[in-house]
Amino acid sequence: MLYYPSAIVGLLVVFLLVFTAIYAMIKIPYNEAIRLWRGGEEVWYQNPKFAPPAWFNLFSSKKYSESFAVKTSDGSMTREVTPGAQGTSTMSIAYTFDFSYDYYPQELILYFTSSYEEKQPFISAEWLTPDGRKIRLVNMALSQKQTYRFSQDEKLKTRLRTEEVIPYLFSDPETGALVKGEYQLLITGAAFEPDADINVEFVSHGQVYGLAGTDQARRDLVVPLLWGAPIALAFGLIASLGTSVLTMVIAALGTWYGGWIDELIQRITEINLVLPFLSILIMIGTFYSRSIWVILGATILLSIFTGAIKSYRSIFVQVKESLYIEAARAYGASSPRIVFLYLIPRMIPLLIPGLVSSVPAFVFLEASLAVLGLGDPVLPTWGKIIEDANSNGALYRGYYYWILEPATLLMITGLGFAMLGFALDRIFNPKLRDV
Amino acid sequence: MITELRDLKMNTPKINEPQALLTIQDLRVWYELRRFGFGHAGYVKAVDGVSFALAEGETVAVVGESGCGKSSLMKTILGLNIPTSGEVVFDGENLSGLKGDGLQHYRFKVGYVQQDPYGALPPFMNVQKILEEPLIISGMKSREERLARIHKVMSEVKLHPVEDFLKKFPHMLSGGQQQRIVIARAMLREPKLIVADEPVSMLDASVRVEILKLLRALQESHGLSVIYITHDLSTVKYFSRRIFVMYAGSLIEKADTRQLLGNPLHPYTHALLAATSDPEARNAETFKEVPPGEPPSLVNPPTGCRFHPRCPRFMAGLCDVKFPPDLEPEPGHFVACWLYQ
Ligand SMILES: Nc1ncnc2c1ncn2[C@@H]1O[C@H](COP(=O)(O)OP(=O)(O)OP(=O)(O)O)[C@@H](O)[C@H]1O
Ligand code: SF4
Ligand SMILES: [Mg+2]
């Protein structure tokens, strides 16, 4: 094994994939993954849309602003409460952050939650810049849930005499140049009842986000990228195993029993070979079901009767004539016994490398179907990412990360299995070594 | 085909030996030739009118040049080929009446030793598995019982120490050892008959004698009947009491070994013996098998005596017209040749 570098690389890739798959399933349990993947604004409000991964900054001389979200409820935003007379209280909420990027954030948002009986609490928010300016943002009474988007505040726009609130907040009003340094958001709240309370979450949608970026629905691409691994592996391996084993068993039965069984298998194969495989899958996906299990079953069924059955058959025809089979017949082995214990084991050395090498084809098939819009409607897969990217014009709009991330994973998977299969073939069938 | 068969039916003498283990009566094995997968194109008459009887404990050698139908005859006796016509009666049972279980039980009573020991052993099974298979098939459920039986047979074929061999795969064994495994496999179910189809022709000259002696020892200690197929007359005398000479699908001379080697009657046997210049030959290279002339076609065999195109004593008008019957010029010495009419 060690004499084959491709085996080692292939094995490493496969191990890594398996590891990723297991990690994904432990870290994000299935139900959670589905909830996140199917979740909308309520799950993903903290993230910007179409944001490339944060590590983009490593390769760019101008730095994109990173996204963040902080809140009072978990202490990432400080809050000091000062009790006043007659059950009233004032509180001061502050968040200081260092801004040293070369681009403005896309949006700044405050999500308020407050509790009160009758009288609404009141807040006022202020913006402190590194050069010491203090900009009043808003004064308002809070309902139980209230969202404040900086860029949408018409009053603020008029007061600041600008259409672009966010650039204004981050730049020098004279020169219009971006100012780097420590900014502070200061919120002063007043509650008028003993049990009244105010909490706030401050979200900044930057240009870049996280490890893998986000898509059109603000979803963190880490989820489908991670979860794509177990799904791709499961689909590829099950399809490949199912196809190879069934093909081999059917070829063996046909060759052994001969006669009309063999004829039937041959005819079915000839018909199946001229049937448009992908079109049938597309039809099934369009008219019947896009469930990955249905597609998997159809893929296996359609892949059994292909060229492979003919090549297996041609080998079985030779093995069938071998002396040890004749001997087995002479000592009374039954036909099923001969097929399963004498014919098929002879083919295992061919089966295993073939099985491993055909995994990528099935992984790509699943991805292609997803790209065509026939992916499983529920599951997060690599193909679905590409589909989303494609339908959102990722390539025209320059969101290359969106396609490159899943495509790279697909390619690595394909290469890994192909290399391993190739090496296994040479290990199991040493005759090929000289060729 | 029926009419053809009727034409060929000769006055073969009925063989009625009281304790015959195996009786073969006018056996024919014809393989159908097909043109492009369909369409009849004649028959390969690999076995064409063979009759003989074999007593319990008797050993017989079948000799003949390559392609004369020896293996086809044996495979029919083993139940691997379905006879086109004729009868094979083994231990009082007619083989053509056997199906399914019956055929399986019949197979338990016959052991088969093939020519190429490496090919005869499944390469993916170890020795223990190889030897367990026939026992499992014949319904020996207990693993201990099977292993005990395997130990016994392996020591009989002199594979010592048994434990060293059990976990080995065929490719780890020498040719001689492989053939011993094949013989052990044939002996596992205490058969009454062993069919050995050229059991030593693919082995090194150095181990041939050992294997033949082993077969002989087993034959004697178990009172086995053995049909030994060879094209090498020099190995016949090791243990065969009788010799059948086969030519183009039929047995043309049947006699005791000494009779046949000392007083060969059929011109083909003469040629065969002349070709075997040195009967002591242990080395295949010095052994010439084929008498002069072309071997006959089995699809369109020569009319009359099949040997007539090559025969130095050919009698025109007789030999090329009529098929010679089995004649018995001296007691127990049968020959199919018009010279002895
Ligand atoms: N299954 C088959 N179908 C058609 N022809 C066959 C088949 N088996 C054997 N033959 C033909 O029948 C003839 C006799 O073959 P057979 O194997 O019985 O000869 P043999 O005497 O054992 O020869 P050898 O000494 O080479 O083993 C040959 O011409 C062979 O080509
Ligand atoms: S029958 Fe005639 S051709 Fe045939 S062997 Fe005898 S003499 Fe020769
Ligand atoms: Mg043969």
Side-chain angles (χ1 to χ4, degrees):
Chain A
M1 190 94 188
L2 293 175
Y3 295 106
Y4 300 103
S6 77
I8 298 169
V9 176
L11 208 62
L12 220 68
V13 170
V14 172
F15 269 140
L16 217 71
L17 274 169
V18 171
F19 178 79
T20 311
I22 294 170
Y23 175 80
M25 291 189 290
I26 292 172
K27 182 85 187 184
I28 315 172
Y30 178 78
N31 288 331
E32 175 68 2
I34 300 302
R35 187 185 71 83
L36 290 174
W37 177 244
R38 313 263 287 153
E41 221 34 54
E42 76 288 355
V43 179
W44 295 111
Y45 64 89
Q46 296 174 335
N47 295 354
K49 288 182 184 179
F50 308 117
W55 46 262
F56 251 45
N57 279 338
L58 294 177
F59 306 101
S60 159
S61 51
K62 291 195 153 197
K63 304 299 177 200
Y64 296 94
S65 61
E66 286 182 31
S67 310
F68 64 81
V70 287
K71 48 188 165 185
T72 49
S73 57
D74 66 3
S76 52
M77 232 176 157
T78 58
R79 187 178 74 152
E80 277 168 30
V81 185
T82 324
Q86 294 156 347
T88 63
S89 60
T90 56
M91 51 198 85
S92 119
I93 299 167
Y95 183 66
T96 313
F97 63 100
D98 191 56
F99 186 85
S100 50
Y101 308 106
D102 298 299
Y103 295 97
Y104 313 110
Q106 296 183 26
E107 175 69 293
L108 299 172
I109 313 166
L110 291 172
Y111 295 95
F112 292 98
T113 46
S114 66
S115 55
Y116 57 89
E117 300 268 314
E118 276 161 23
K119 197 142 186 348
Q120 287 179 307
F122 192 84
I123 60 105
S124 69
E126 287 167 314
W127 186 252
L128 276 72
T129 63
D131 50 356
R133 285 173 295 131
K134 194 178 213 176
I135 302 164
R136 188 161 59 78
L137 295 170
V138 67
N139 297 322
M140 62 182 178
L142 292 181
S143 53
Q144 262 155 2
K145 266 186 194 257
Q146 189 138 348
T147 305
Y148 174 73
R149 288 172 198 278
F150 288 33
S151 68
Q152 312 285 308
D153 185 346
E154 296 300 328
K155 277 192 220 153
L156 186 60
K157 282 185 193 169
T158 10
R159 186 144 38 82
L160 299 177
R161 289 195 213 91
T162 175
E163 269 304 305
E164 302 287 342
V165 173
I166 298 201
Y168 184 94
L169 291 179
F170 285 94
S171 43
D172 187 318
E174 323 270 87
T175 61
L178 191 139
V179 182
K180 296 183 185 180
E182 219 166 62
Y183 286 84
Q184 192 174 34
L185 172 76
L186 242 165
I187 300 167
T188 322
F192 308 105
E193 291 167 3
D195 292 329
D197 198 10
I198 301 172
N199 273 299
V200 67
E201 178 170 11
F202 175 39
V203 170
S204 161
H205 289 166
Q207 271 95 20
V208 291
Y209 176 82
L211 276 176
T214 63
D215 63 7
Q216 86 284 4
R218 306 185 190 280
R219 290 178 296 200
D220 184 351
L221 288 180
V222 165
V223 174
L225 284 176
L226 269 183
W227 257 88
I231 295 171
L233 277 185
F235 189 90
L237 283 173
I238 295 174
S240 164
L241 192 76
T243 306
S244 315
V245 169
L246 287 173
T247 303
M248 196 172 67
V249 169
I250 290 172
L253 289 172
T255 318
W256 182 254
Y257 288 100
W260 66 267
I261 301 179
D262 196 26
E263 282 292 309
L264 184 71
I265 293 169
Q266 304 258 63
R267 292 299 91 77
I268 292 177
T269 307
E270 275 147 28
I271 294 168
N272 189 51
L273 279 175
V274 298
L275 288 182
F277 174 69
L278 203 57
S279 315
I280 294 181
L281 282 186
I282 291 172
M283 264 156 61
I284 292 173
T286 313
F287 298 115
Y288 180 63
S289 162
R290 290 192 291 150
S291 152
I292 199 159
W293 300 112
V294 172
I295 297 289
L296 181 64
T299 302
I300 292 177
L301 278 182
L302 289 170
S303 310
I304 291 173
F305 296 96
T306 54
I309 216 164
K310 294 203 171 245
S311 46
Y312 277 138
R313 187 180 174 279
S314 65
I315 298 167
F316 278 134
V317 167
Q318 288 171 28
V319 180
K320 183 186 173 180
E321 298 301 327
S322 59
L323 284 176
Y324 77 86
I325 301 255
E326 186 184 271
R329 286 218 295 144
Y331 57 68
S334 63
S335 286
R337 192 177 190 92
I338 290 179
V339 169
F340 289 101
L341 295 186
Y342 291 78
L343 271 181
I344 290 178
R346 194 62 214 271
M347 294 290 276
I348 302 265
L350 282 171
L351 174 84
I352 291 176
L355 191 152
V356 171
S357 319
S358 68
V359 168
F362 291 110
V363 172
F364 291 150
L365 174 76
E366 191 273 330
S368 320
L369 286 173
V371 171
L372 292 172
L374 296 167
D376 189 281
V378 180
L379 294 175
T381 67
W382 296 336
K384 292 284 276 187
I385 303 179
I386 300 180
E387 186 213 350
D388 285 340
N390 197 33
S391 58
N392 283 285
L395 287 181
Y396 315 113
R397 297 160 73 178
Y399 306 139
Y400 298 112
Y401 72 98
W402 200 354
I403 286 187
L404 286 179
E405 284 170 3
T408 307
L409 286 176
L410 278 168
M411 247 137 60
I412 290 174
T413 307
L415 266 171
F417 277 99
M419 283 163 96
L420 186 63
F422 182 66
L424 284 176
D425 202 24
R426 292 195 300 175
I427 292 163
F428 278 104
N429 306 297
K431 275 174 216 150
L432 293 175
R433 244 177 255 164
D434 311 328
V435 183
Chain B
M1 190 188 128
I2 304 293
T3 50
E4 238 178 299
L5 272 180
R6 200 181 302 130
D7 292 346
L8 285 170
K9 247 200 166 104
M10 304 309 293
N11 50 339
T12 37
K14 280 266 173 200
I15 294 158
N16 287 315
E17 282 189 33
Q19 321 93 342
L21 174 70
L22 175 71
T23 313
I24 291 190
Q25 191 65 52
D26 202 24
L27 183 74
R28 284 168 216 277
V29 180
W30 293 7
Y31 302 110
E32 190 167 8
L33 274 185
R34 286 172 176 277
R35 214 181 269 120
F36 305 120
F38 49 87
H40 176 72
Y43 294 96
V44 180
K45 295 164 186 166
V47 178
D48 207 14
V50 165
S51 305
F52 67 87
L54 189 68
E56 210 153 310
E58 194 186 8
T59 53
V60 57
V62 178
V63 295
E65 60 195 341
S66 184
C68 70
K70 304 181 296 285
S71 297
S72 301
L73 175 61
M74 291 315 124
K75 283 180 195 166
T76 314
I77 293 171
L78 287 161
L80 297 174
N81 277 347
I82 296 156
T84 311
S85 74
E87 277 180 1
V88 177
V89 179
F90 182 88
D91 217 6
E93 265 183 313
N94 194 331
L95 195 57
S96 59
L98 293 178
K99 278 190 192 73
D101 272 3
L103 192 59
Q104 216 188 15
H105 279 109
Y106 164 74
R107 284 170 171 166
F108 297 167
K109 291 186 264 183
V110 184
Y112 185 24
V113 178
Q114 286 148 302
Q115 183 174 14
D116 168 12
Y118 182 60
L121 299 170
F124 47 83
M125 289 188 190
N126 63 24
V127 169
Q128 180 178 337
K129 184 88 189 103
I130 288 171
L131 294 179
E132 271 191 289
E133 277 288 296
L135 296 176
I136 294 171
I137 290 165
S138 53
M140 197 182 273
K141 293 258 161 36
S142 139
R143 202 179 128 83
E144 283 71 45
E145 213 181 321
R146 290 199 299 262
L147 283 178
R149 179 76 196 133
I150 289 170
H151 272 261
K152 182 153 186 297
V153 177
M154 279 179 74
S155 34
E156 274 188 78
V157 300
K158 312 231 159 35
L159 284 170
H160 294 298
V162 172
E163 292 301 333
D164 286 1
F165 288 98
L166 284 180
K167 294 296 170 211
K168 288 200 169 144
F169 286 85
H171 69 265
M172 305 168 171
L173 304 173
S174 72
Q177 289 168 337
Q178 288 166 355
Q179 195 60 303
R180 283 167 199 271
I181 301 286
V182 173
I183 293 169
R185 182 170 68 183
M187 292 296 297
L188 274 174
R189 297 181 296 193
E190 299 177 6
K192 292 189 170 178
L193 170 66
I194 292 267
V195 174
D197 191 347
E198 311 205 34
V200 295
S201 69
M202 287 187 72
L203 299 181
D204 280 352
S206 55
V207 292
R208 283 185 186 173
V209 177
E210 274 175 52
I211 296 289
L212 288 172
K213 283 184 173 158
L214 172 67
L215 277 172
R216 156 122 218 183
L218 290 172
Q219 187 270 325
E220 282 176 348
S221 57
H222 292 259
L224 292 171
S225 299
V226 175
I227 302 179
Y228 170 58
I229 301 177
T230 182
H231 52 234
D232 182 356
L233 268 172
S234 65
T235 62
V236 162
K237 64 178 190 315
Y238 276 99
F239 62 90
S240 306
R241 193 173 72 76
R242 280 202 289 165
I243 298 183
F244 298 163
V245 181
M246 193 165 186
Y247 187 78
S250 47
L251 303 180
I252 46 130
E253 188 163 359
K254 296 179 261 193
D256 279 2
T257 305
R258 211 169 302 143
Q259 258 178 340
L260 189 126
L261 294 179
N263 180 25
L265 297 178
H266 198 285
Y268 174 68
T269 315
H270 275 284
L272 207 58
L273 282 171
T276 316
S277 48
D278 173 19
E280 291 293 319
R282 302 252 165 100
N283 194 335
E285 272 93 319
T286 67
F287 167 69
K288 278 194 282 137
E289 169 208 334
V290 192
E294 284 283 305
S297 150
L298 292 179
V299 182
N300 287 306
T303 53
C305 173
R306 302 266 158 90
F307 189 55
H308 84 254
R310 293 162 86 181
C311 181
R313 305 180 64 180
F314 162 65
M315 293 170 284
L318 177 63
C319 298
D320 55 351
V321 180
K322 284 180 78 184
F323 192 90
D326 265 358
L327 302 166
E328 196 174 3
E330 54 176 328
H333 194 153
F334 296 91
V335 62
C337 170
W338 288 118
L339 285 174
Y340 302 96
Q341 197 181 19

